[in-house]
Amino acid sequence: LGAGIGCLKRLGSLELRFDQNGITSSELGDFGEGIGKCGALTSIRIDFSFNRICGTGLGRLGQGVGACKKLATIRMAFYGNQVTDEEFGEFGEGLGLCEELKTLHLGFACNQLGDDKLGRFAAGIATATKLSSIYFNFYSNSIGDRGAVGL
């Protein structure tokens, strides 16, 4: 799918629901690489909830999305996976590369995020200087005081 979407150079808006499938972290990374070739994207809304996604692949998705410099709106859901801190910082750094990013909505409820990479994630998205609307759902993770302060 990532390779196919990557051929759509003039694609401006993308909305996909992949919830409750068997998508793996590797496939998520491949998808990110394809998205990175869609230079005209201004809006992306994707639901990856209830798949088989852990930490790996998330960094590649972030870097791919970050290659889309015109993206103004990102809405992604990852509810009920096994996402860990492993590549969460790199994911945020990738999203921060979106020069036109104004709205960021991310759902990571019911995963395995902890304190380790939230600060790096926050520092990454902070580089998106036009960001004016943020919504995060980190319900039912393992985030403590240190992670909350880092965010």
Side-chain angles (χ1 to χ4, degrees), residues 12 47 65 101 128 135 151:
D47 190 343
V65 169
L101 187 60
Y135 169 82
L151 187 59

Side-chain angles (χ1 to χ4, degrees), residues 2-3 5 23-24 27 38-39 55-56 68 76 90 96 119 122 138 140 142:
I5 287 176
I23 295 173
T24 65
E27 292 165 336
C38 298
T56 60
C68 302
M76 292 186 183
E90 187 179 348
F138 292 122
S140 192
S142 298

Side-chain angles (χ1 to χ4, degrees), residues 35-118:
I35 288 291
K37 297 175 183 171
C38 298
L41 268 179
T42 60
S43 176
I44 188 168
R45 182 178 187 151
I46 303 177
D47 190 343
F48 289 110
S49 298
F50 304 103
N51 279 285
R52 296 184 301 158
I53 299 168
C54 56
T56 60
L58 194 59
R60 284 175 48 213
L61 175 65
Q63 295 302 314
V65 169
C68 302
K69 304 296 183 194
K70 296 179 182 179
L71 261 175
T73 302
I74 297 172
R75 296 176 191 271
M76 292 186 183
F78 295 88
Y79 302 117
N81 283 287
Q82 298 87 40
V83 175
T84 64
D85 295 344
E86 187 174 337
E87 291 188 16
F88 201 65
E90 187 179 348
F91 177 66
E93 290 169 352
L95 299 183
L97 296 173
C98 298
E99 297 169 358
E100 299 298 320
L101 187 60
K102 294 180 178 86
T103 303
L104 178 62
H105 289 213
L106 298 175
F108 281 93
C110 302
N111 278 283
Q112 298 172 10
L113 291 172
D115 292 337
D116 290 343
K117 304 293 183 190
L118 285 181

